[in-house]
Every structure is written in structure tokens, then in C-alpha cells.
């Protein structure tokens, strides 16, 4: 899995799955360019040591993503990898979802990937190929009752992945998705646990929804999702495109077996 010397852009790379992915790629010698709306002081020293360039980039609009990608190409002369990872939750029944909630969720989780793919494809075509991974969700495979608009956004992202994978196969551009969850030590899950009345009970509920998480007694780690992203962008997956890999401990398989 020789990735040294390649160039990657990772959105939402300051926290959770994106941070684990940026670290893993950088440790393999990839030049990593992160775009995020939060630049965490806790990442600064490590990112500097690993050569990860991180900047403010709001993925909901086209220009910052175009600039992030074009600048990575200008700095390194190539673009091998794009990870469209930035995302937000939207845990509300449909009657409580405002138009701005809908737009925030769709723009962050789906429109951003459209912008990312559009500008990455532009370079990858010219440079002879590349690999794009979209961070979808188990909710992109099987909708969930508690967050319908989030589920819709992730199913749209799965659709975008398959559609563009087909369109750009002849350009040797591979486009795949990972469908994780429940992933602990992420901003998304931590925010939810922090506002729970009983944090431990809320964590147990996450774990109970995923058969393997329950079997192991813990949530999935961001690094375990990053490993699958690493595989998908590597040459080990040279003939893999349009797939959506569930890293959800079987959560999207169906009704879980009762444990204990
Ligand atoms: P996280 O909150 O730790 O990471 C998300 C990152 O995206 C953050 O750094 C955040 O600042 C950034 N971001 C949010 N809005 C942005 C914007 N407009 N522009 C740029 N960056 C923005 O949570 P995470 O779980 O690591 O989330 C990463 C991806 O994984 C998301 O797409 C999420 O939907 C998906 N996901 C997470 C889980 C889980 O259980 N944590 C499950 C399924 C899918």
C-alpha cells in the first residue's frame, strides 16, 4: 500500500474520523491538506510534525472547496485522494425541521461532496486518475427513525458515490463511500452524549444498536474507519469503485440478535 508522495485533501479533518484519516495518510508519507470550520489548537503541533496543512474551509459553498483543492494541486503538482468527510447531525422529527435545518444538513453532507468531486475530478482527469472517498453512514444504507433528514442526506451521498463512480470509471477515478457508526471519540457522538441526562446510558444505547459494538462492549474507533478509507484510496483497491463499505459492526444488517 505505497502511498508516499501522493497528495490528499480531507474535509472535516480536524476531529474524529477526518482527523484519524489525515493522521494515517500523513504517517504513510501522503501530503495532506485539511479543510475544516474549526482549527483545534490541540492538533497544531502534531499536524506541523506530520506536515498536515490545515485551513479554515466551509464546505457548504463552492469557492472555499475549489480553493482548497486547487491550492493542494498548486503546491504539490498532483491530486491523488479526496476524502469528503465533513458532516453534521440532524436529530429531529420532520415536523421540527426548518428550511434552514434542511439546508444546513444537505449543504454540509451532500452539496459539499458535489463541490469536492467536481473540482477533484477536474484535476484527476488531467492527471490520469485518482480516488475519492465519501464518508456516508449506516443511515445511508438503512434509514433511521430518529434522524430522517440526516438519513436522507447520507442516502443521497451514497447515490452520488455510485453515480459519479460510474461516470468517471473511464477516467480511472475511483469513487467509494464508507458507512460508519456508531463511532466514539467524535465531535458528533460526544456532543450527543454531553447533552444526555445519563451519559453512560446514552453510550450503552449507541453500542446496543450495533451487534459487533455490543459484542466488543465499545463503540467503533475513528481509526477503524480511517483504516477502511486508507484501503479504499490505496492501490489494493485499484479495481474497487462505487462500493459503500459498512463499518458499523453490523448495524445496517437488520434486526440485531439479543445479547446476554
Ligand atoms: P466530528 O464532529 O468529530 O467531525 C466532523 C468534522 O466536520 C468536524 O471537525 C467539523 O468541524 C467538520 N465540519 C462540520 N461542518 C463543516 C463545514 N461546513 N465545513 C467544513 N467542515 C465542517 O464527527 P465525525 O463522526 O468524525 O464525522 C465525520 C463524518 O462521519 C461525518 O460526515 C459524519 O456524518 C460521519 N459519520 C459519523 C458517525 C459517528 O458515529 N460518529 C456515524 C456515521 C457517519
Amino acid at each position: 500500500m505505497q502511498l508516499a508522495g501522493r497528495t490528499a485533501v480531507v474535509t472535516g479533518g480536524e476531529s474524529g474520523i477526518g482527523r484519524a484519516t489525515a493522521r494515517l495518510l500523513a504517517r504513510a508519507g501522503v501530503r495532506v491538506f485539511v479543510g475544516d470550520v474549526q482549527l483545534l489548537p490541540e492538533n497544531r503541533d502534531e499536524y506541523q510534525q506530520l506536515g498536515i496543512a490545515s485551513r479554515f474551509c466551509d464546505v457548504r459553498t463552492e469557492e472555499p472547496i475549489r480553493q482548497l483543492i486547487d491550492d493542494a494541486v498548486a503546491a504539490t503538482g498532483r491530486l491523488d485522494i479526496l476524502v469528503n468527510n465533513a458532516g453534521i447531525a440532524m436529530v429531529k422529527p420532520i415536523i421540527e425541521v426548518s428550511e434552514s435545518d434542511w439546508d444546513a444538513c444537505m449543504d454540509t453532507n451532500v452539496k459539499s461532496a458535489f463541490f469536492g468531486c467536481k473540482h477533484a475530478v477536474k484535476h484527476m482527469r488531467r492527471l490520469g486518475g485518482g480516488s475519492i472517498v465519501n464518508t456516508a453512514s449506516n443511515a445511508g444504507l438503512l434509514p433511521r427513525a430518529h434522524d430522517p433528514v440526516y438519513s436522507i442526506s447520507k442516502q443521497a451521498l451514497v447515490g452520488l458515490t455510485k453515480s459519479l463512480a460510474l461516470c468517471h470509471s473511464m477516467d480511472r477515478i475511483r469513487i467509494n463511500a464508507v458507512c460508519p457508526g456508531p463511532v466514539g471519540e467524535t465531535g458528533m457522538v460526544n456532543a450527543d452524549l454531553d447533552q444526555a441526562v445519563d451519559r453512560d446510558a446514552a453510550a450503552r444505547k449507541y453500542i446496543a444498536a450495533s451487534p459487533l459494538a455490543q459484542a466488543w462492549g465499545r463503540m467503533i474507533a475513528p481509526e477503524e474507519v480511517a483504516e477502511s478509507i486508507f484501503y479504499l484510496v490505496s492501490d489494493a483497491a485499484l479495481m474497487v469503485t462505487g462500493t459503500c463499505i459498512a463499518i458499523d459492526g453490523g448495524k445496517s444488517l437488520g434486526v440485531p440478535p439479543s445479547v446476554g
Side-chain angles (χ1 to χ4, degrees):
M1 296 208 196
Q2 284 299 327
L3 291 181
R6 298 190 190 177
T7 297
V9 169
V10 180
T11 69
E14 284 279 333
S15 171
I17 295 166
R19 176 165 58 192
T21 303
R23 284 174 173 153
L24 192 60
L25 290 172
R27 286 186 190 128
V30 176
R31 286 167 295 181
V32 180
F33 296 79
V34 161
D36 203 308
V37 283
Q38 57 171 351
L39 301 178
L40 298 179
E42 70 202 52
N43 294 332
R44 294 287 65 81
D45 287 353
E46 185 192 5
Y47 277 18
Q48 201 172 7
Q49 278 163 18
L50 289 170
I52 297 172
S54 189
R55 67 156 72 160
F56 181 88
C57 171
D58 187 338
V59 298
R60 291 174 299 176
T61 50
E62 184 165 6
E63 187 54 19
I65 303 186
R66 183 197 66 72
Q67 196 77 58
L68 176 69
I69 291 173
D70 286 358
D71 287 355
V73 174
T76 65
R78 54 193 298 160
L79 179 69
D80 306 282
I81 298 160
L82 168 66
V83 185
N84 288 311
N85 167 77
I88 58 165
M90 187 56 63
V91 184
K92 283 183 182 181
I94 196 75
I95 54 171
E96 288 175 20
V97 174
S98 67
E99 186 176 356
S100 64
D101 287 337
W102 170 276
D103 288 345
C105 190
M106 291 299 164
D107 290 357
T108 312
N109 295 0
V110 190
K111 200 154 90 171
S112 59
F114 148 58
F115 293 142
C117 289
K118 174 178 168 183
H119 290 286
V121 163
K122 175 183 80 186
H123 292 293
M124 288 174 174
R125 263 178 134 164
R126 182 174 53 81
L127 296 166
S131 177
I132 299 173
V133 176
N134 299 317
T135 307
S137 167
N138 61 85
L141 300 173
L142 200 70
R144 307 187 300 213
H146 72 285
D147 55 4
V149 173
Y150 180 80
S151 295
I152 292 165
S153 75
K154 293 300 186 177
Q155 286 175 65
L157 190 54
V158 165
L160 178 149
T161 301
K162 290 174 187 274
S163 179
L164 294 185
L166 193 58
C167 293
H168 295 289
S169 47
M170 291 301 287
D171 298 319
R172 297 184 184 170
I173 301 171
R174 303 184 298 100
I175 308 179
N176 293 287
V178 288
C179 296
V183 185
E185 298 310 317
T186 55
M188 194 172 276
V189 167
N190 282 343
D192 193 40
L193 295 181
D194 289 345
Q195 52 96 51
V197 182
D198 182 341
R199 200 175 203 278
D200 290 343
R204 281 197 299 276
K205 201 171 158 199
Y206 270 108
I207 292 169
S210 162
L212 276 181
Q214 190 159 2
W216 285 100
R218 65 167 175 85
M219 284 191 232
I220 294 153
E223 290 73 19
E224 289 171 313
V225 183
E227 290 285 357
S228 288
I229 295 173
F230 190 92
Y231 159 70
L232 286 170
V233 302
S234 77
D235 292 349
L238 207 63
M239 289 294 167
V240 179
T241 197
T243 61
C244 301
I245 299 183
I247 306 131
D248 65 354
K251 187 175 174 184
S252 57
L253 281 176
V255 179
S258 58
V259 177

